[in-house]
Amino acid sequence: MVSNAGSYWKTIGLLIMLYSFSCYILFVTVLSKETNDLRLTPPNDAYELNAQQKMSSSDEYLIDLLLLDNVTKNDGRLVLKIFKKDDIWFVTPLKIVLFHAILAVFYPIMALSIVAICSYFIIANYQQRVLRKTLRHLCDVTDEIASIFGQEKLPLQSYSRLSNLSFALDNLAKYATQYKMVTEQGAFCDKLTQLTNRHTFLEHIEEQLSLNEGAKESGLLFIDLDGFKQVNDSFGHSFGDEILIQVAERLKSIVRSGRLSFNQSNVGIEKNLARLGGDEFTIFIQHIEHSESAIDIAKHVLTELERDFVLGNKLIKISASIGIALYPDSADKPNALVQLADVAMYRAKKDGRGIYRIYSPEMGSQLKRYHYLLEEMRLAITSNNFYLTFQPIVHTEGCVISYFEALARWQHPVEGMISPMEFIPIAEESNQILPLGDWILDESCRQMFAWHSAGMTKTKISVNVSVIQLRHRPLYQWVMDTLARTGLPPTSLMLEITESCFLDISEEIIVELEKLRQAGIFIAIDDFGTGFSSLAILATLPVDVIKIDRMFINEATTSVKYKKILKSIVDMSFQLDLKVVAEGIEDIIQFELLKSLGVEHIQGFLISPPESSINIGNKVLKQGVGHLAHNGAGVWKPKTSSIMSHAN
Ligand code: C2E
Ligand code: MG
Ligand code: MG
């Protein structure tokens, strides 16, 4: 602005100088012409120069300025020498000459002045217009910028564009400051919950630990919600988002009430609490006296998150699993602390959810094994390292084979046999159970079709289906497609679903199961007695078979109470028209007890361990094709002859 004003006045000065110089040249030219004219036609009033006097210095300056010669001083006034006669100069007063010259230049100078003034106004007007245009453009630009900031077009404050512009610029400065705050917050915060993000959280711990330099213990909680995926799957992602926001609010108030706050940033975010992603949150506890303090906070978090979440007219119950890592015992770097707390959280999940666990080194090796087996499993699925074994379930009368349960086996090239108790949970957690489960169902149906064709028309094959498969596969279509592909009739198939899966099964899955039952497929509740479901749900679930868990039967042989419960389960099942199978029968006492309670189908090592398909084929088909064709089922003769005698 200053430099613009300076150049403006410079231009004005230059123009004035140019104007003055032009006037001067004009005047001098006219004066010179006037003196020449006087010499050519001398005026009548010219008089003799009587005595030349010396001129003052100011007179000399004036003469020089007017570019005149032949000027002298006579009787105290300046005179112009016009002509010489007889050595006598005739002169006329310079004042008169100058007066004539002034009269002669008056009109040209007036004209020049008018031109100059007009030019000035024209230029000024032009400049005004340019300025107005520029202002209009600037106002448009400010409106545009305001709209980028999401603001309405600014209302005009006055008729002057300049003051509107200044008002708009003030507003823009305000928006820019707000925007800076928001973007800074965006850089530090998780968008959904407005909690610190992972990066800022780790930086913050790094800073605090370096200030602390191992002087005091600290703790880190890794909090993961239980069953959040189901909430998302059942109610949709925006519902899930709302839950996450409410969880964040509860954690914030725990951090504040527990004086765990660290809030020094200028954007006002809580740095000791972060959302690491998904349903994972973390709290950093600076300076704890001993691990008990971290445990107290973990317990507080667990109780707070177990309180109902209210969303619209819905009440949602969720819990959390918490892993605790301690500084410097567990680790002394932020990343490692988070990682180890995650390992401990993973253990809390495995140990039953809704609980906390403190990290210990032995957990780390388990996690390593988990990742190792997961990687190996991916390879094993593609390189056919899995195979199926089949365990017969027989009728207590005559040991007629009712069905075979297909049980997956993993023959690892280095580790040898890996138990399903170890690999199935890993496959479920990583969703690898989906490709593996596809193969198991396919292979089971293929095998059963072969046996069915060989005469085992009344024997079924039973396949374990995990809850992950129920949720991710279009159940009815998936099973019917496999049956169509393998040629096995639906009535030869049974699906085993663990009791605990039924606890939070969705309405859609129940409908799918019912459709399968209508098609002739049997549905069994596996491991019944371990999932804490009430007996009443048996009446509402779409099932045909109850498989009572091995643990339950074990208890029943020693405890009268368990025996009574077992009896009531069996009685109730019969009343509901359900078939009862007892799992894990290992000895004759168990066998007798179950038989006395009226259980008709048993599975267990007492009859046979799971066998390869070849062994099954050999054993059953040995009984003769004619026998099979007549009965539609083989007999599984156990090694213990006493059973056969009991059975018969
Ligand atoms: P499950 O479905 O309850 O299968 C019965 C388990 O009990 C089998 O263990 C079987 O070998 C074992 N068993 C049978 N009789 C006796 C007995 O008399 N005594 C004892 N101690 N155990 C007996 P397995 O094969 O190790 O399988 C364990 C679990 O792994 C299965 O329990 C099932 O939940 C899961 N699983 C196995 N194969 C599959 C599969 O193909 N798909 C799925 N989703 N899960 C499977
Ligand atoms: Mg089973
Ligand atoms: Mg079972």
PDB file of all heavy atoms in Angstrom, residues 260-278:
ATOM      1  N   LEU A 260      -6.240 -39.404  35.243  1.00  0.00           N
ATOM      2  CA  LEU A 260      -5.218 -39.966  34.344  1.00  0.00           C
ATOM      3  C   LEU A 260      -5.021 -39.034  33.164  1.00  0.00           C
ATOM      4  O   LEU A 260      -4.330 -39.352  32.209  1.00  0.00           O
ATOM      5  CB  LEU A 260      -5.685 -41.325  33.802  1.00  0.00           C
ATOM      6  CG  LEU A 260      -6.203 -42.319  34.832  1.00  0.00           C
ATOM      7  CD1 LEU A 260      -6.829 -43.502  34.152  1.00  0.00           C
ATOM      8  CD2 LEU A 260      -5.051 -42.776  35.705  1.00  0.00           C
ATOM      9  N   SER A 261      -5.672 -37.877  33.257  1.00  0.00           N
ATOM     10  CA  SER A 261      -5.668 -36.945  32.128  1.00  0.00           C
ATOM     11  C   SER A 261      -4.292 -36.422  31.786  1.00  0.00           C
ATOM     12  O   SER A 261      -3.467 -36.195  32.651  1.00  0.00           O
ATOM     13  CB  SER A 261      -6.540 -35.749  32.491  1.00  0.00           C
ATOM     14  OG  SER A 261      -7.710 -35.808  31.775  1.00  0.00           O
ATOM     15  N   PHE A 262      -4.105 -36.236  30.507  1.00  0.00           N
ATOM     16  CA  PHE A 262      -2.928 -35.489  30.046  1.00  0.00           C
ATOM     17  C   PHE A 262      -3.447 -34.641  28.906  1.00  0.00           C
ATOM     18  O   PHE A 262      -3.751 -35.134  27.840  1.00  0.00           O
ATOM     19  CB  PHE A 262      -1.830 -36.430  29.562  1.00  0.00           C
ATOM     20  CG  PHE A 262      -0.554 -35.692  29.261  1.00  0.00           C
ATOM     21  CD1 PHE A 262       0.486 -35.685  30.167  1.00  0.00           C
ATOM     22  CD2 PHE A 262      -0.403 -34.967  28.085  1.00  0.00           C
ATOM     23  CE1 PHE A 262       1.641 -34.985  29.911  1.00  0.00           C
ATOM     24  CE2 PHE A 262       0.743 -34.266  27.825  1.00  0.00           C
ATOM     25  CZ  PHE A 262       1.777 -34.279  28.734  1.00  0.00           C
ATOM     26  N   ASN A 263      -3.552 -33.354  29.170  1.00  0.00           N
ATOM     27  CA  ASN A 263      -4.269 -32.513  28.218  1.00  0.00           C
ATOM     28  C   ASN A 263      -3.541 -31.191  28.015  1.00  0.00           C
ATOM     29  O   ASN A 263      -4.049 -30.139  28.330  1.00  0.00           O
ATOM     30  CB  ASN A 263      -5.667 -32.279  28.796  1.00  0.00           C
ATOM     31  CG  ASN A 263      -6.594 -31.746  27.757  1.00  0.00           C
ATOM     32  OD1 ASN A 263      -6.150 -31.400  26.659  1.00  0.00           O
ATOM     33  ND2 ASN A 263      -7.864 -31.648  28.079  1.00  0.00           N
ATOM     34  N   GLN A 264      -2.319 -31.280  27.477  1.00  0.00           N
ATOM     35  CA  GLN A 264      -1.555 -30.044  27.333  1.00  0.00           C
ATOM     36  C   GLN A 264      -1.604 -29.460  25.935  1.00  0.00           C
ATOM     37  O   GLN A 264      -1.031 -28.427  25.675  1.00  0.00           O
ATOM     38  CB  GLN A 264      -0.090 -30.321  27.674  1.00  0.00           C
ATOM     39  CG  GLN A 264       0.114 -30.546  29.148  1.00  0.00           C
ATOM     40  CD  GLN A 264       1.564 -30.737  29.476  1.00  0.00           C
ATOM     41  OE1 GLN A 264       2.397 -30.891  28.595  1.00  0.00           O
ATOM     42  NE2 GLN A 264       1.874 -30.728  30.749  1.00  0.00           N
ATOM     43  N   SER A 265      -2.244 -30.185  25.032  1.00  0.00           N
ATOM     44  CA  SER A 265      -2.182 -29.707  23.657  1.00  0.00           C
ATOM     45  C   SER A 265      -3.108 -28.507  23.483  1.00  0.00           C
ATOM     46  O   SER A 265      -4.113 -28.386  24.167  1.00  0.00           O
ATOM     47  CB  SER A 265      -2.614 -30.820  22.715  1.00  0.00           C
ATOM     48  OG  SER A 265      -3.956 -31.077  22.936  1.00  0.00           O
ATOM     49  N   ASN A 266      -2.753 -27.634  22.515  1.00  0.00           N
ATOM     50  CA  ASN A 266      -3.563 -26.427  22.335  1.00  0.00           C
ATOM     51  C   ASN A 266      -4.913 -26.724  21.707  1.00  0.00           C
ATOM     52  O   ASN A 266      -5.813 -25.914  21.745  1.00  0.00           O
ATOM     53  CB  ASN A 266      -2.803 -25.376  21.524  1.00  0.00           C
ATOM     54  CG  ASN A 266      -2.210 -25.987  20.278  1.00  0.00           C
ATOM     55  OD1 ASN A 266      -2.332 -27.195  20.075  1.00  0.00           O
ATOM     56  ND2 ASN A 266      -1.588 -25.187  19.447  1.00  0.00           N
ATOM     57  N   VAL A 267      -5.061 -27.917  21.103  1.00  0.00           N
ATOM     58  CA  VAL A 267      -6.369 -28.251  20.537  1.00  0.00           C
ATOM     59  C   VAL A 267      -7.237 -29.019  21.534  1.00  0.00           C
ATOM     60  O   VAL A 267      -8.340 -29.425  21.219  1.00  0.00           O
ATOM     61  CB  VAL A 267      -6.248 -29.032  19.199  1.00  0.00           C
ATOM     62  CG1 VAL A 267      -5.996 -28.090  18.064  1.00  0.00           C
ATOM     63  CG2 VAL A 267      -5.212 -30.104  19.260  1.00  0.00           C
ATOM     64  N   GLY A 268      -6.750 -29.180  22.736  1.00  0.00           N
ATOM     65  CA  GLY A 268      -7.568 -29.708  23.831  1.00  0.00           C
ATOM     66  C   GLY A 268      -7.920 -31.174  23.729  1.00  0.00           C
ATOM     67  O   GLY A 268      -9.022 -31.555  24.072  1.00  0.00           O
ATOM     68  N   ILE A 269      -7.009 -32.030  23.247  1.00  0.00           N
ATOM     69  CA  ILE A 269      -7.371 -33.448  23.216  1.00  0.00           C
ATOM     70  C   ILE A 269      -6.652 -34.205  24.327  1.00  0.00           C
ATOM     71  O   ILE A 269      -5.567 -33.827  24.747  1.00  0.00           O
ATOM     72  CB  ILE A 269      -7.092 -34.107  21.845  1.00  0.00           C
ATOM     73  CG1 ILE A 269      -5.685 -33.797  21.360  1.00  0.00           C
ATOM     74  CG2 ILE A 269      -8.117 -33.700  20.835  1.00  0.00           C
ATOM     75  CD1 ILE A 269      -5.294 -34.534  20.128  1.00  0.00           C
ATOM     76  N   GLU A 270      -7.344 -35.272  24.733  1.00  0.00           N
ATOM     77  CA  GLU A 270      -6.849 -36.091  25.830  1.00  0.00           C
ATOM     78  C   GLU A 270      -5.786 -37.043  25.285  1.00  0.00           C
ATOM     79  O   GLU A 270      -6.105 -37.919  24.487  1.00  0.00           O
ATOM     80  CB  GLU A 270      -8.054 -36.870  26.392  1.00  0.00           C
ATOM     81  CG  GLU A 270      -7.726 -37.790  27.503  1.00  0.00           C
ATOM     82  CD  GLU A 270      -7.004 -37.069  28.600  1.00  0.00           C
ATOM     83  OE1 GLU A 270      -7.628 -36.210  29.256  1.00  0.00           O
ATOM     84  OE2 GLU A 270      -5.803 -37.333  28.760  1.00  0.00           O
ATOM     85  N   LYS A 271      -4.548 -36.874  25.707  1.00  0.00           N
ATOM     86  CA  LYS A 271      -3.481 -37.645  25.058  1.00  0.00           C
ATOM     87  C   LYS A 271      -3.233 -39.025  25.666  1.00  0.00           C
ATOM     88  O   LYS A 271      -2.563 -39.848  25.070  1.00  0.00           O
ATOM     89  CB  LYS A 271      -2.183 -36.843  25.078  1.00  0.00           C
ATOM     90  CG  LYS A 271      -2.181 -35.705  24.081  1.00  0.00           C
ATOM     91  CD  LYS A 271      -0.788 -35.193  23.905  1.00  0.00           C
ATOM     92  CE  LYS A 271      -0.668 -34.331  22.685  1.00  0.00           C
ATOM     93  NZ  LYS A 271       0.718 -33.904  22.498  1.00  0.00           N
ATOM     94  N   ASN A 272      -3.762 -39.262  26.863  1.00  0.00           N
ATOM     95  CA  ASN A 272      -3.526 -40.571  27.482  1.00  0.00           C
ATOM     96  C   ASN A 272      -4.549 -41.618  27.067  1.00  0.00           C
ATOM     97  O   ASN A 272      -4.506 -42.743  27.536  1.00  0.00           O
ATOM     98  CB  ASN A 272      -3.554 -40.436  29.006  1.00  0.00           C
ATOM     99  CG  ASN A 272      -2.205 -40.008  29.537  1.00  0.00           C
ATOM    100  OD1 ASN A 272      -1.199 -40.144  28.846  1.00  0.00           O
ATOM    101  ND2 ASN A 272      -2.180 -39.489  30.738  1.00  0.00           N
ATOM    102  N   LEU A 273      -5.481 -41.197  26.208  1.00  0.00           N
ATOM    103  CA  LEU A 273      -6.536 -42.116  25.765  1.00  0.00           C
ATOM    104  C   LEU A 273      -6.578 -42.090  24.243  1.00  0.00           C
ATOM    105  O   LEU A 273      -6.568 -41.012  23.653  1.00  0.00           O
ATOM    106  CB  LEU A 273      -7.876 -41.625  26.344  1.00  0.00           C
ATOM    107  CG  LEU A 273      -9.145 -42.265  25.810  1.00  0.00           C
ATOM    108  CD1 LEU A 273      -9.199 -43.740  26.167  1.00  0.00           C
ATOM    109  CD2 LEU A 273     -10.365 -41.561  26.401  1.00  0.00           C
ATOM    110  N   ALA A 274      -6.593 -43.263  23.629  1.00  0.00           N
ATOM    111  CA  ALA A 274      -6.583 -43.267  22.161  1.00  0.00           C
ATOM    112  C   ALA A 274      -7.470 -44.377  21.627  1.00  0.00           C
ATOM    113  O   ALA A 274      -7.770 -45.355  22.326  1.00  0.00           O
ATOM    114  CB  ALA A 274      -5.171 -43.465  21.651  1.00  0.00           C
ATOM    115  N   ARG A 275      -7.900 -44.170  20.373  1.00  0.00           N
ATOM    116  CA  ARG A 275      -8.543 -45.276  19.647  1.00  0.00           C
ATOM    117  C   ARG A 275      -7.510 -45.735  18.640  1.00  0.00           C
ATOM    118  O   ARG A 275      -7.045 -44.949  17.808  1.00  0.00           O
ATOM    119  CB  ARG A 275      -9.801 -44.789  18.961  1.00  0.00           C
ATOM    120  CG  ARG A 275     -10.467 -45.884  18.151  1.00  0.00           C
ATOM    121  CD  ARG A 275     -11.776 -45.403  17.562  1.00  0.00           C
ATOM    122  NE  ARG A 275     -12.337 -46.378  16.677  1.00  0.00           N
ATOM    123  CZ  ARG A 275     -12.756 -46.119  15.443  1.00  0.00           C
ATOM    124  NH1 ARG A 275     -12.683 -44.903  14.958  1.00  0.00           N
ATOM    125  NH2 ARG A 275     -13.266 -47.073  14.690  1.00  0.00           N
ATOM    126  N   LEU A 276      -7.150 -47.016  18.738  1.00  0.00           N
ATOM    127  CA  LEU A 276      -6.086 -47.517  17.862  1.00  0.00           C
ATOM    128  C   LEU A 276      -6.647 -47.938  16.516  1.00  0.00           C
ATOM    129  O   LEU A 276      -5.912 -48.104  15.551  1.00  0.00           O
ATOM    130  CB  LEU A 276      -5.375 -48.698  18.525  1.00  0.00           C
ATOM    131  CG  LEU A 276      -4.672 -48.355  19.837  1.00  0.00           C
ATOM    132  CD1 LEU A 276      -4.105 -49.604  20.475  1.00  0.00           C
ATOM    133  CD2 LEU A 276      -3.567 -47.347  19.614  1.00  0.00           C
ATOM    134  N   GLY A 277      -7.948 -48.095  16.443  1.00  0.00           N
ATOM    135  CA  GLY A 277      -8.582 -48.534  15.189  1.00  0.00           C
ATOM    136  C   GLY A 277      -9.675 -49.517  15.542  1.00  0.00           C
ATOM    137  O   GLY A 277      -9.624 -50.132  16.611  1.00  0.00           O
ATOM    138  N   GLY A 278     -10.665 -49.645  14.668  1.00  0.00           N
ATOM    139  CA  GLY A 278     -11.769 -50.592  14.879  1.00  0.00           C
ATOM    140  C   GLY A 278     -12.379 -50.419  16.265  1.00  0.00           C
ATOM    141  O   GLY A 278     -12.746 -49.310  16.662  1.00  0.00           O
TER     142      GLY A 278
END
